[in-house]
Structures are given as structure tokens and as C-alpha cells.
């Protein structure tokens, strides 16, 4: 069984692990695209406040500072990075080791920045509004033609439970 899940706008700020963009799943097909998107995102982090506000959805100076100061070489497992409503109800911190192991291997989250990642994928703190382009580059449009064949091939014999929001289909 594979569970397809949406990310959340809300994210935990702390880090506990090293982040390596090229260690994310499906990198045999997605590494070049991810690298390009990540470089565009990093450029936005160093843009003026108005541009960063538009892309991140943040508006307070202290939030922008936190985002800019967040180390991009450190991360947290996606299961704990995302902290929105669905993740609060999932309550991973209260689950036993077997449940966490199941989620780590069966929960596929569709990140606005990184595309499909597993629950145990280490990702840095980031803010990118759903559907927001990066300097005119539409992230979801770039990922879309690659994902259906990739996921169909990877999970062809699996039962797939799609719990994503419509935007991520």
C-alpha cells in the first residue's frame, strides 16, 4: 500500500539532520529538475522582501528573517517538518516504532518544492506557496509530465490510497 499525501503550509522550523538534495527519492528521474527548482528557490530567498513575501506567503519581518536564516544544508524528516492540520491529526510523535516505520516506507508526500518525497525524506525548512511560480517557472507544471509515468512504474502492483488535495493530483 502506498498513501499519497499533501504537504502543509505550516512547517516546523528546527532541524536535526543533514540535507542532501540528491538523496531524495526518485532522483534518477528528478535530480536535474529538483536542482534547477532548488536554485530558483534559493535565489528568491535572497530577493527583496516584497518578492519573498509573494512567494512564501509570509508578511512579517521576523518570519522573513527566520526563513532567510534557515540553513539549507540542514533538515528534518518530512513527517515531522510538516505541521499543518492533517499532520497534527496524524500525530506522528505519538505513534509507535512500527507505525512510524510503515509511514516512512508507504507515505508519499507531494512537496511544493521537492515533488514526491517519502515521510522519512529529510528536507530543509522552506516556504513556497502552493501554485506559486519561481521567477515565471511553474513548479507543478514542470513535475507533472514526469510524475505519472514515474509513479505508475514504481507502484504498478501496489494499492494506492490517494489522500492528496486536488491541486496535487
Amino acid at each position: 500500500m502506498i498513501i499519497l499525501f499533501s504537504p502543509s503550509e505550516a512547517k516546523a522550523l528546527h532541524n536535526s539532520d543533514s540535507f542532501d538534495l540528491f538523496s531524495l527519492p526518485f532522483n534518477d528521474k528528478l535530480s536535474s529538475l529538483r536542482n534547477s527548482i532548488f536554485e530558483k528557490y534559493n535565489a528568491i530567498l535572497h530577493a527583496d522582501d516584497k518578492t519573498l513575501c509573494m512567494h512564501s506567503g509570509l508578511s512579517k519581518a521576523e518570519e522573513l528573517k527566520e526563513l532567510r536564516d534557515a540553513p539549507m544544508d540542514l533538515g528534518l524528516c518530512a513527517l515531522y517538518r510538516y505541521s499543518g492540520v492533517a499532520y497534527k491529526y496524524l500525530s506522528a510523535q505519538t505513534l509507535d516504532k512500527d507505525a512510524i516505520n510503515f509511514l516512512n516506507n508507504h507515505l508519499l508526500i507531494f512537496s511544493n518544492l521537492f515533488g514526491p518525497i517519502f515521510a522519512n525524506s529529510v528536507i530543509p525548512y522552506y516556504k513556497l506557496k502552493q501554485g506559486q511560480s519561481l521567477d515565471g517557472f511553474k513548479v507543478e507544471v514542470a513535475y507533472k509530465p514526469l510524475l505519472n509515468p514515474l509513479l505508475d512504474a514504481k507502484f504498478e502492483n501496489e494499492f494506492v490510497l490517494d489522500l492528496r488535495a486536488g491541486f496535487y493530483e
Side-chain angles (χ1 to χ4, degrees):
M1 171 194 266
I2 295 297
I3 304 165
L4 307 182
F5 213 53
S6 299
S8 72
E9 293 283 333
K11 295 174 187 71
L13 185 59
H14 66 278
N15 298 298
S16 60
D17 299 297
S18 293
F19 168 68
D20 176 10
L21 181 66
F22 299 104
S23 71
L24 294 176
F26 312 109
N27 255 350
D28 56 326
K29 303 286 187 208
L30 300 177
S31 65
S32 178
L33 176 58
R34 280 182 173 144
N35 190 53
S36 175
I37 291 168
F38 196 60
E39 285 176 2
K40 290 177 188 307
Y41 176 77
N42 277 317
I44 298 296
L45 284 177
H46 298 95
D48 60 84
D49 285 358
K50 181 179 177 184
T51 301
L52 186 55
C53 286
M54 180 179 70
H55 287 84
S56 68
L58 301 174
S59 59
K60 298 177 182 168
E62 62 270 8
E63 293 173 326
L64 295 175
K65 182 174 178 3
E66 280 181 341
L67 181 58
R68 283 190 173 112
D69 289 349
M72 297 309 283
D73 62 340
L74 295 175
L76 185 65
C77 289
L79 184 61
Y80 302 108
R81 170 70 68 207
Y82 297 113
S83 59
V85 173
Y87 291 87
K88 284 184 175 143
Y89 280 100
L90 185 58
S91 191
Q93 294 82 355
T94 67
L95 299 176
D96 65 32
K97 184 179 176 181
D98 290 336
I100 294 296
N101 188 46
F102 178 85
L103 290 174
N104 284 340
N105 293 298
H106 296 90
L107 186 68
L108 190 64
I109 302 164
F110 287 76
S111 163
N112 291 333
L113 186 60
F114 301 109
I117 57 175
F118 282 103
N120 64 348
S121 298
V122 174
I123 57 172
Y125 178 74
Y126 74 94
K127 290 284 191 172
L128 180 63
K129 287 186 346 187
Q130 177 181 305
Q132 181 63 53
S133 67
L134 293 171
D135 196 27
F137 183 83
K138 298 291 273 181
V139 174
E140 71 278 8
V141 171
Y143 276 121
K144 189 170 185 158
L146 300 174
L147 291 185
N148 284 342
L150 176 74
L151 298 177
D152 287 348
K154 177 76 173 167
F155 304 121
E156 69 180 332
N157 296 320
E158 297 276 352
F159 175 78
V160 177
L161 177 60
D162 193 347
L163 299 177
R164 295 175 295 174
F167 177 83
Y168 299 98
E169 291 177 3

